Amino acid sequence: MHGLLTRAGYEPVVTDSIEAGKVEVAKLPPGAVIVTAMRLSDGTARELINWLNAEGYKFPVIAIVENLSPMELIEVMGDSGAVAIIQRPAIDKQLVETVGKYARPEHVVLTLGNQLIPRVSEAWKAVEEKVSAIAVTNANAIVFGECGTGKEQIARQIYLRSSREQKPLTIVEAGSAAFIGRHDPASDRSEIYDRIKSYFAKAAGGTMIIKNVHLLSFEKQSVLLHILETEHPDVRVICTAEPELLGMVANKSFRANLFYMLRQSDIAVPSLKETTEDIPVIADFFLKSYAAKTGKERKRLDASAIKALKLYPWLGNVRELKDIVLFAAFHAKTDTITEADITFNLSDTSVTYDLSLRNPQRERDQIIEAFHRGGSWKQASKLLNITEKTLISLRKKYGIDSNGEIQS
């Protein structure tokens, strides 16, 4: 059951007793569904349902039953009992569908899969062109970008558009337990070597994606370098990394020879705050997907909502935009989402919004960026943390007109 629900995009919590279940029920968010066996280690499904009713919990309960008589079924489902039952042999076919019938829309999980979200900025068009250019080669590549910018989708697209698309794809998270190993006294090779070697064997002739390669320890870097340098596996390696990887190479915490072997080509994914013109398009994509998955009417952003989204700094980038837009879609009272429907995840917006001018060589570009993000010179002064009078003086200094353009 746990595996079926997880693969369907839910986040199930598992307990084996009523007492443990009571603790977890208290933590459940609105819209959750409870699935229970008929008999638990310390009671029955009916006892659990009675407790839920007594405590005022309204979560739908789905009971998994086996060979019950009609009277027993009435006992389970009658008098504010279970909303549905599933015969145990039918779990594979009915569980996900039944849970989906009673789960509330805020728990709809939208996954991007392999696709790239359509965008309109020139910076993103350059990324798509680079994806196509790298895909037709056999070069290793690193996809650089901040958290939540969609690096894995880009890495997958390189694979899907390459000549290796019909060969295996292996994806490994550099910071996960998959790369943890201990020395095997019976072998002259470490378990780390055996694990990494097994990933290359699994991807033979195809592609390996190493997510967050900057999280590899120095020991694992050395093993990976050894395999690439001495064994020359027939595997293309595509890595994703946050920009800090470049600093790690500079301060020698990431091996330079491995870095250059992995970065035979690269793509720099722009952050969302650098491509604010993409925000309405991406948000609309999520709203359309949300409507399709929930069967609800599609909602749209009004001008106030779009302006608010463009002003937000987006430390979590596209992933954070998705969460905020879907939350707004669920809570909006009408089919139009306004600024009032949007809840941002900031405790102190003044700090995050601050684009204070600290580098004279970048002042002009920061002023123009603040104008386009804010939509007016008044908002730009707030983002730059300067007075409107000071901003007027700086505009004159750099020849910036009222439309945020450089005067010839």
Side-chain angles (χ1 to χ4, degrees):
M1 286 165 53
H2 181 277
L4 288 169
L5 293 171
T6 299
R7 287 192 293 275
Y10 297 99
E11 298 177 0
V13 177
V14 180
T15 66
D16 62 357
S17 68
I18 292 177
E19 288 306 310
K22 290 178 180 179
V23 175
E24 296 302 329
V25 165
K27 303 176 186 177
L28 291 177
V33 171
I34 295 173
V35 181
T36 181
M38 280 298 300
R39 293 175 178 80
L40 298 139
S41 62
D42 56 353
T44 66
R46 185 70 244 189
E47 290 175 274
L48 173 62
I49 292 169
N50 289 342
W51 176 82
L52 290 168
N53 292 336
E55 294 296 318
Y57 290 112
K58 304 298 183 182
F59 299 113
V61 176
I62 299 170
I64 307 300
V65 306
E66 189 168 5
N67 298 325
L68 293 186
S69 68
M71 290 303 296
E72 289 173 316
L73 291 178
I74 292 173
E75 167 65 16
V76 176
M77 298 191 70
D79 189 25
S80 299
V83 296
I85 60 170
I86 298 175
Q87 295 289 343
R88 186 174 295 277
I91 285 177
D92 288 354
K93 296 180 179 179
Q94 296 181 7
L95 180 63
V96 172
E97 180 182 351
T98 306
V99 168
K101 181 179 177 181
Y102 293 99
R104 294 290 294 275
E106 68 238 62
H107 293 286
V108 169
V109 177
L110 293 183
T111 55
L112 298 180
N114 299 329
Q115 68 188 122
L116 296 182
I117 299 173
R119 296 168 65 168
V120 296
S121 66
E122 292 301 319
W124 185 254
K125 290 176 183 176
V127 167
E128 291 187 312
E129 290 174 1
K130 198 77 178 287
V131 168
S132 298
I134 293 175
V136 297
T137 72
N138 200 38
N140 295 333
I142 299 180
V143 182
F144 289 96
E146 295 178 4
C147 174
T149 50
K151 299 184 293 294
E152 183 180 346
Q153 281 72 36
I154 290 172
R156 286 173 176 269
Q157 281 297 313
I158 294 173
Y159 160 71
L160 290 171
R161 301 182 192 184
S162 73
S163 60
R164 292 176 178 262
E165 186 267 336
Q166 294 180 326
K167 294 298 184 73
L169 171 66
T170 298
I171 301 177
V172 184
E173 166 61 62
S176 74
F179 267 134
I180 295 175
R182 295 188 302 273
H183 181 66
D184 179 4
S187 170
D188 60 352
R189 290 174 173 167
S190 70
E191 184 178 337
I192 293 174
Y193 172 89
D194 291 336
R195 286 202 181 195
I196 297 179
K197 179 72 174 181
S198 72
Y199 297 136
F200 278 100
K202 186 177 179 181
T207 301
M208 181 189 299
I209 294 177
I210 303 178
K211 297 166 56 179
N212 298 311
V213 71
H214 56 285
L215 298 180
L216 283 180
S217 68
F218 206 77
E219 180 185 8
K220 298 181 182 73
Q221 294 172 34
S222 299
V223 172
L224 181 58
L225 174 65
H226 170 78
I227 292 174
L228 291 173
E229 201 170 39
T230 64
E231 301 182 19
H232 307 290
D234 181 20
V235 175
R236 182 190 207 175
V237 181
I238 304 172
C239 301
T240 70
E242 295 190 13
E244 66 190 71
L245 177 61
L246 298 172
M248 294 173 66
V249 175
N251 65 29
K252 301 188 184 303
S253 60
F254 196 96
R255 299 193 57 152
N257 44 358
L258 174 61
F259 172 76
Y260 290 112
M261 188 168 289
L262 295 173
R263 198 200 70 173
Q264 295 171 344
S265 55
D266 64 23
I267 295 178
V269 186
S271 64
L272 201 54
K273 62 179 175 288
E274 295 174 292
T275 54
T276 55
E277 62 268 46
D278 287 333
I279 289 175
V281 179
I282 298 172
D284 191 61
F285 172 86
F286 289 136
L287 291 173
K288 186 188 298 183
S289 301
Y290 177 83
K293 192 154 189 176
T294 62
K296 304 291 185 181
E297 188 170 346
R298 178 178 170 186
K299 298 189 177 183
R300 301 182 185 276
L301 301 168
D302 74 358
S304 70
I306 292 173
K307 182 177 180 179
L309 293 175
K310 286 187 173 183
L311 283 171
Y312 186 68
W314 298 115
L315 301 181
N317 289 287
V318 175
R319 184 184 297 125
E320 186 180 14
L321 174 62
K322 180 187 74 170
D323 293 339
I324 287 176
V325 167
L326 294 187
F327 189 86
F330 176 76
H331 289 282
K333 304 294 185 186
T334 69
D335 293 334
T336 300
I337 298 173
T338 70
E339 181 180 8
D341 297 314
I342 296 174
T343 303
F344 292 112
N345 303 317
L346 284 180
S347 57
D348 186 357
T349 57
S350 63
V351 175
T352 312
Y353 280 161
D354 184 8
L355 292 177
S356 300
L357 300 170
R358 299 184 180 92
N359 184 347
Q361 295 180 341
R362 290 197 63 241
E363 279 188 353
R364 186 186 70 179
D365 292 340
Q366 285 181 280
I367 291 169
I368 294 172
E369 177 188 351
F371 172 71
H372 288 299
R373 284 181 59 188
S376 70
W377 289 112
K378 182 177 181 178
Q379 288 293 333
S381 67
K382 292 180 180 179
L383 292 173
L384 295 166
N385 199 27
I386 59 177
T387 65
E388 290 184 63
K389 184 176 180 180
T390 300
L391 180 54
I392 291 171
S393 298
L394 289 171
R395 284 175 52 198
K396 290 180 179 178
K397 175 182 175 181
Y398 293 114
I400 303 172
D401 66 21
S402 60
N403 295 318
E405 303 291 340
I406 306 297
Q407 296 174 341
S408 56

